[in-house]
Amino acid sequence: MLPVVSLTLFLPLAGAVLILALPRPTARTVHSIGIGTAGLTLVGALAMWLEGVSGAGFSQVEELEWIPAIGAAYRVGVDGISLPLVLLSAMLFLVAFIYASSLRERPRAYVALVLLLETAAIGTFTALDGILFYVFFEVSLVSMYFMIAGWGHEDRQRAALMFFIYTLLGSLPLLLAILGLYLGSPDPSFDMRAWIANPPLEGAAAMWALVAMLVTFAVKIPAVPLHTWLPAAHVQAPTIGSVILAGIMLKFGTYGLVRFALQMTPEAFREAGVVVLVFGVIGALYGAFAALAQTDLKRLVVYTSINHMGYVIIGVAVAALTLDPSVRATALDGAVLQMFSHGLVTGALFFLVGMIQERAHTREMGEFGGLLKTVPLLGWSFMLAAFASLGLPGLAHFPAEFQIFLSTLGTVPAAVVAILGIAIIAGTFLKAIRETFLGEPQQRWHSMPDLSVRELLAVAPLLVLTLVTGVAPSWVLDIIHRTTSALVL
């Protein structure tokens, strides 16, 4: 039987090695290898999806000895929480390579870094060994640092350094928590399945481990007030960097919140659940109000990400606080679906903002007006993604946010105040659409070209999936619910 998980995991790394091994490859060859490798990786992710998950526990597990003396091994597998994120990663990286195929500035290094980042992303979501998870978690920082520093905008060096220092220092508490879980195990091992089945820490030790995890994942999500690196990194990152950072890497934090904090320290999380919930509500409202204040389209989308990640935190916190298994499953279903839908919607928005910037060399909404008449395909695509981001029924965010708020209302009714964020985000995007796309077009934008075939191939799949997930979310929710309904906290 083919080790599908491992093949899918290491295909991008193999593609990166091939690119670096070729003597002076042309840009066309490099991009072709990138697109082909990402396409094969998506095929692997689809094969994993068709294989599915069994419910409780992990499926498609593959294991090899690595450092037997300390109980560390190469262990990978998926469940209903990680599998949708693997599929999302494979899809986003493929459309990212399609979009980046016009790049002519050091394409060899660029494509190799993105392929390395794809392996790190899929590895983070499939790792079932604590050390292996941490390795993939950290390798992603290196790739993104060099992407921002090497291909970002005018202040890229400062933004890249800020991103790297914040996230590297933020990761150290997680390493301490992993060591604590290892030392607390009756049979010392880094097997995450054992930590989930029988949480090794309790009492004060579990609470300290939880605090360490929360610091790491709060930086990665990012949660207010540890979010200050995100606007700088996004604004200075190239378009592909922003798509991957928002669509995939922010999910490292929310995924870790579920996989580590919720599953490995459940009692401590239940005790601290109200505090986590408060941070989620603050993040959702702060992100919405901050987005409303922006005049830069890219910064606007950045702050909506903080808002949407706040909803995910609320869902996970509610799952920890409730004693009702059905409410817990509903909260986690909504949180995981929100991670998935956010990758689709925000990925599309960053693509579209990047397309506007490439044409106009500005992102200030006040500089535009009437673009819908000049670039109708781009304009309508932006509107569809914006309506999805504000939670319009029939689009991807609605079923996720509905489940989060439904479970919140039945558990901690006061926290439903976070629903105000939806109204604020609606006002934010309606303002952006009015200022950027409606009204009479300015003379200087009359010759602006509409979306090219390359750009359509990059953004159209995300918009189609946004619509499909909004209308028929069961294709994702069925996989998610098989695991969430079986979780016992």
Side-chain angles (χ1 to χ4, degrees), residues 470-486:
V471 173
S474 58
W475 77 277
V476 184
L477 275 175
D478 285 351
I479 290 284
I480 297 170
H481 192 70
R482 287 178 202 171
T483 293
T484 58
S485 61

Side-chain angles (χ1 to χ4, degrees), residues 184-209:
S185 303
D187 181 18
S189 168
F190 287 99
D191 191 339
M192 291 164 55
R193 295 168 298 174
W195 294 348
I196 292 169
N198 296 293
L201 299 177
E202 56 186 25
M207 185 58 73
W208 280 111

Side-chain angles (χ1 to χ4, degrees), residues 447-471:
S447 60
M448 182 182 288
D450 208 347
L451 296 184
S452 65
V453 173
R454 171 183 61 85
E455 291 168 332
L456 274 173
L457 288 174
V459 78
L462 302 183
L463 296 177
V464 169
L465 285 170
T466 294
L467 184 60
V468 170
T469 305
V471 173

Side-chain angles (χ1 to χ4, degrees), residues 180-427:
L181 290 165
Y182 170 78
L183 295 172
S185 303
D187 181 18
S189 168
F190 287 99
D191 191 339
M192 291 164 55
R193 295 168 298 174
W195 294 348
I196 292 169
N198 296 293
L201 299 177
E202 56 186 25
M207 185 58 73
W208 280 111
L210 174 66
V211 170
M213 295 174 193
L214 291 179
V215 170
T216 293
F217 299 134
V219 171
K220 202 74 171 182
I221 289 173
V224 177
L226 300 176
H227 68 288
T228 51
W229 64 268
L230 185 67
H234 264 303
V235 168
Q236 299 303 324
T239 297
I240 296 305
S242 293
V243 170
I244 294 170
L245 185 57
I248 300 168
M249 292 183 68
L250 299 192
K251 312 308 179 300
F252 292 177
T254 49
Y255 172 75
L257 196 63
V258 177
R259 180 67 74 220
F260 279 81
L262 185 65
Q263 292 191 279
M264 297 179 190
T265 56
E267 293 303 323
F269 203 147
R270 183 168 287 122
E271 291 179 28
V274 172
V275 176
V276 177
L277 182 65
V278 168
F279 275 100
V281 172
I282 291 171
L285 293 176
Y286 172 86
F289 279 112
L292 183 61
Q294 302 307 312
T295 59
D296 181 308
L297 273 174
K298 198 171 189 181
R299 289 181 70 88
L300 183 153
V301 178
V302 170
Y303 282 107
T304 63
S305 290
I306 295 174
N307 164 263
H308 291 124
M309 290 299 97
Y311 296 146
V312 178
I313 296 171
I314 291 171
V316 178
V318 168
L321 288 168
T322 184
L323 298 176
D324 187 330
S326 63
V327 175
R328 179 187 306 132
T330 300
L332 285 176
D333 285 350
V336 178
L337 184 59
Q338 179 82 338
M339 295 185 221
F340 183 84
S341 65
H342 179 266
L344 299 176
V345 174
T346 307
L349 283 170
F350 275 119
F351 271 133
L352 292 163
V353 172
M355 294 169 192
I356 293 172
Q357 184 178 6
E358 285 183 6
R359 289 161 167 76
H361 305 291
T362 181
R363 299 183 302 258
E364 289 293 323
M365 293 184 287
E367 297 289 324
F368 300 108
L371 287 187
L372 190 61
K373 295 180 180 179
T374 306
V375 284
L377 271 177
L378 196 160
W380 286 112
S381 297
F382 185 91
M383 288 186 194
L384 177 59
F387 286 139
S389 188
L390 61 85
L392 191 72
L395 298 172
H397 276 331
F398 178 76
E401 291 170 1
F402 182 82
Q403 291 183 98
I404 291 171
F405 290 127
L406 179 64
S407 57
T408 303
L409 186 62
T411 307
V412 189
V416 178
V417 68
I419 203 169
L420 290 174
I422 293 179
I424 300 163
I425 291 296

